[in-house]
Amino acid sequence: MDVVRNNKVMFLDEVETSLHTRLVEYLIGLFHSSKSAQLVFTTHNTHLLDMTRFRKDQIFFVNKRDDGSSDLYSLFDYKDFREKMDLEKAYLQGRFDAVPYINEFENI
């Protein structure tokens, strides 16, 4: 609460870890309603990819390269993005990259 009340910045890795979905949504809502506090978080929870909750300039993806390095890029960079798009579905389909490559037969 100190972060929100005093307009600070909070960084959270895997915001949904050990928290109920409603608590995560409440936490995000606290920051949205604050004057200028900021919440920067990572997540694997695709349910949070919702355009009613975030603007497209607030959503970033990380894509791991073959050499082990990572690219960070914004949803804002996608010019063909439509505001009415089902963002979670498009992400899971691989439209924005940042999805794991799984070779089912590699470890057999």
Side-chain angles (χ1 to χ4, degrees), residues 25-95:
E25 291 173 356
Y26 174 76
L27 181 65
I28 291 169
L30 281 176
F31 280 86
H32 274 298
S33 65
S34 75
K35 188 174 186 176
S36 62
Q38 292 187 357
L39 174 64
V40 179
F41 66 90
T42 64
T43 185
H44 284 98
N45 183 348
T46 59
H47 176 69
L48 293 174
L49 289 173
D50 181 351
M51 294 309 299
T52 62
R53 188 175 282 127
F54 298 105
R55 298 184 319 260
K56 64 182 180 177
D57 64 320
Q58 293 177 306
I59 298 172
F60 285 79
F61 301 102
V62 176
N63 196 37
K64 192 163 191 168
R65 295 180 181 172
D66 291 336
D67 67 1
S69 64
S70 298
D71 287 324
L72 176 70
Y73 50 93
S74 172
L75 178 61
F76 188 79
D77 296 335
Y78 285 85
K79 303 304 178 209
D80 65 337
F81 174 78
R82 296 179 314 278
E83 297 295 328
K84 300 291 184 195
M85 180 184 290
D86 182 336
L87 186 56
E88 180 179 25
K89 181 179 178 183
Y91 169 76
L92 291 173
Q93 290 173 340
R95 181 143 183 201

